[in-house]
Amino acid sequence: MGENLRSKKVERTSQIPQCGVDLIKQFEGCHLESYPDPLTGNLPITIGWGSTRKRNGQPFKLGEKITQVEADDLLEFDIENRFLPELRKIPYWNEMTDGQKGALLSFAYNLGARFYGSAGFNTITRVLRNKEWSNVPDTLKMYRNHGTDVEVGLLRRRGAEGRLWSS
């Protein structure tokens, strides 16, 4: 029975574009103690590889700690349960390469799983809906919090996502 569980887990996680996970880890970094959002200086409280909610959906609070194993597990849980189901709703998702899926996974992990079709995401929604795939890298760069302390870091991230999209 234990072997069946292991093979199910491998099958399930094979749907996760590893290149996207690598990008998330590169830009989020891993923090085993909770910290406030760098943009707001407050909410959401973040831990691990940028997780803002526990498995049960409750938000993290300042002062909470987790282990590296818990951080890695929470990242996988978040991707499988909170991000991929929403990303699969994007038109042409099944036609995208792993690099394209990974770029959108990183983008969504940073800006929200439900970005597609949401207010403030009109351009990226239109570009994806109309399959204007050559425009995606430049479009991603538009979402970087202009004029804030985090803009430079987000521009680096959007550039990396654009390169991954084009790979």
Side-chain angles (χ1 to χ4, degrees):
M1 182 167 167
E3 202 164 303
N4 286 344
L5 288 176
R6 262 188 242 115
S7 58
K8 268 187 171 178
K9 184 176 175 95
V10 169
E11 181 181 319
R12 189 176 78 231
T13 58
S14 67
Q15 298 296 314
I16 297 174
Q18 186 59 46
C19 55
V21 175
D22 294 343
L23 209 54
I24 290 167
K25 286 182 173 183
Q26 177 185 340
F27 283 96
E28 294 291 340
C30 188
H31 303 270
L32 302 180
E33 186 168 344
S34 59
Y35 62 95
D37 178 75
L39 181 61
T40 67
N42 192 10
L43 298 178
I45 304 301
T46 306
I47 200 165
W49 296 105
S51 295
T52 59
R53 298 199 170 273
K54 300 174 185 177
R55 282 175 164 260
N56 66 9
Q58 293 297 311
F60 283 100
K61 296 177 181 156
L62 284 177
E64 292 189 72
K65 295 179 183 180
I66 59 174
T67 66
Q68 186 65 56
V69 170
E70 290 170 323
D72 294 344
D73 182 59
L74 188 55
L75 175 61
E76 183 178 319
F77 177 85
D78 283 346
I79 290 170
E80 288 179 348
N81 297 285
R82 297 182 176 139
F83 289 88
L84 286 180
E86 293 299 324
L87 291 172
R88 287 185 184 113
K89 295 176 185 176
I90 296 173
Y92 312 111
W93 177 261
N94 290 330
E95 296 178 28
M96 293 179 194
T97 66
D98 278 353
Q100 291 168 331
K101 290 176 182 178
L104 292 180
L105 173 60
S106 174
F107 182 82
Y109 198 82
N110 182 236
L111 294 174
R114 293 184 176 102
F115 76 86
Y116 183 84
S118 295
F121 293 94
N122 298 336
T123 304
I124 189 70
T125 296
R126 177 185 45 77
V127 166
L128 291 170
R129 182 185 61 239
N130 295 339
K131 206 173 179 181
E132 299 169 16
W133 289 1
S134 63
N135 295 334
V136 170
D138 287 337
T139 302
L140 292 172
K141 289 179 184 174
M142 295 173 60
Y143 300 91
R144 62 179 196 249
N145 295 77
H146 295 278
T148 66
D149 291 343
V150 298
E151 180 180 4
V152 172
L154 288 176
L155 183 57
R156 265 196 336 271
R157 184 175 188 152
R158 299 290 101 83
E161 291 163 351
R163 288 187 297 279
L164 181 56
W165 174 272
S166 298
S167 67

